[in-house]
Amino acid sequence: MASDDFTGPNGLAFSPDETRLYVTETGDQFDPHTDRHIRVFDVQDGKLSNGRIFARISPGYADGIKCDVDGNLWCSAGDGVHCLSPEGEMLGKIVIGDTVSNLCFGGRHLSRLFICAGTRLLALHTNSRGAA
């Protein structure tokens, strides 16, 4: 077992080189004061270690997460999609005006971002490509 101290683990994604595993902690969905963040673990020889908080998402919390080829983490949030560097720094946001629940890269070159937001499915082209 890698970790048993989650309240509500949800989304997960590997870094492109598979040396990191990101896991969203959405906590108890009915508790407004629950801890919500993204954790990251180092992966070595098929084992997870060094679990730590990678980022806190606001507004809302991260559910769906995906990495691009540069190791940036794209995550759902209460106001749209947030893009974080491998160090956890905010690189930018795609403001949707709705809570985003999930996302994925697709299309011919994995450069189209598909976004589930409320009752809508959105798609937009990016200057990045999703990690295979």
Side-chain angles (χ1 to χ4, degrees), residues 2 40-44 47-52:
V40 63
F41 295 86
D42 295 327
V43 181
Q44 187 174 26
K47 295 182 182 176
L48 303 182
S49 64
N50 194 25
R52 59 208 180 272

Side-chain angles (χ1 to χ4, degrees), residues 28-61:
D28 179 348
Q29 298 293 308
F30 301 103
D31 181 356
H33 305 293
T34 192
D35 204 15
R36 296 182 171 138
H37 49 256
I38 300 171
R39 290 175 64 182
V40 63
F41 295 86
D42 295 327
V43 181
Q44 187 174 26
D45 299 323
K47 295 182 182 176
L48 303 182
S49 64
N50 194 25
R52 59 208 180 272
I53 294 177
F54 174 73
R56 296 186 187 277
I57 304 303
S58 181
Y61 52 90

